[in-house]
Amino acid sequence: MSKKKRFFIISAFCLLLLATGTINVLVNNSIIETQQTGQTNNTVTAGNFFTNYRANRTDTRNEELMYLEAIIASTTSSQEAIASAEAEKIRIVSAMESEMALEGLIKAKGFEDVIISDLNNSLTVIVKSAELDKAEVAKIVEVVQGQTSYDIENIKIIPVE
């Protein structure tokens, strides 16, 4: 496989991860919005959203990691492809560790549930809450900035009921 082809495949998997997360958030937000407007009798709880999001994120990342492992283990992979796959694997594992640590720290500040998504040089914090006041937002920003190098412009906080 050529370097370009491998690069495009790795890029496609990264875009797939981003698309999966985005679609999951959009679908769950529309379900929650529909539930709030009373247009349906189906009940979707924020707990389901958080559980589903985590499961989808884990599945997608596991697939990516398996793909990267296949590139690394392949005898036909070039040294550049192997190095690129190893770097991407390290980036994914680092993001997983960072997200998990931030989620725990934010929960320790009194929030019931939270999901962190660290993509494309921005951090999205999805918090289980009907709404957030300024003090709660400040707590979240304090934790994020204390653990990362993100500026306030690159931090998005979304309450989900």
Side-chain angles (χ1 to χ4, degrees), residues 86-144:
E86 287 173 341
E88 182 64 14
K89 184 177 174 183
I90 290 169
R91 187 199 63 75
I92 291 170
V93 170
S94 176
M96 290 167 62
E97 290 172 352
S98 174
E99 289 169 354
M100 188 173 69
L102 284 170
E103 288 172 4
L105 291 169
I106 292 171
K107 284 180 188 178
K109 292 285 188 177
F111 295 96
E112 184 177 344
D113 206 352
V114 63
I115 292 175
I116 303 291
S117 179
D118 187 353
L119 294 170
N120 300 328
N121 296 321
S122 68
L123 193 96
T124 303
V125 181
I126 305 170
V127 181
K128 185 174 182 180
S129 178
E131 59 183 67
L132 298 169
D133 61 32
K134 289 180 182 181
E136 291 170 323
V137 170
K139 284 182 191 178
I140 294 169
V141 169
E142 177 185 4
V143 169
V144 170

Side-chain angles (χ1 to χ4, degrees), residues 64-84:
E64 278 187 60
L65 291 171
M66 286 186 339
Y67 175 74
L68 294 170
E69 280 297 323
I71 292 172
I72 293 167
S74 175
T75 57
T76 61
S77 295
S78 68
Q79 290 302 314
E80 294 84 12
I82 292 171
S84 176

Side-chain angles (χ1 to χ4, degrees), residues 55-71:
N56 289 340
R57 179 176 67 182
T58 300
D59 290 346
T60 302
R61 284 188 173 158
N62 286 340
E63 288 175 15
E64 278 187 60
L65 291 171
M66 286 186 339
Y67 175 74
L68 294 170
E69 280 297 323
I71 292 172

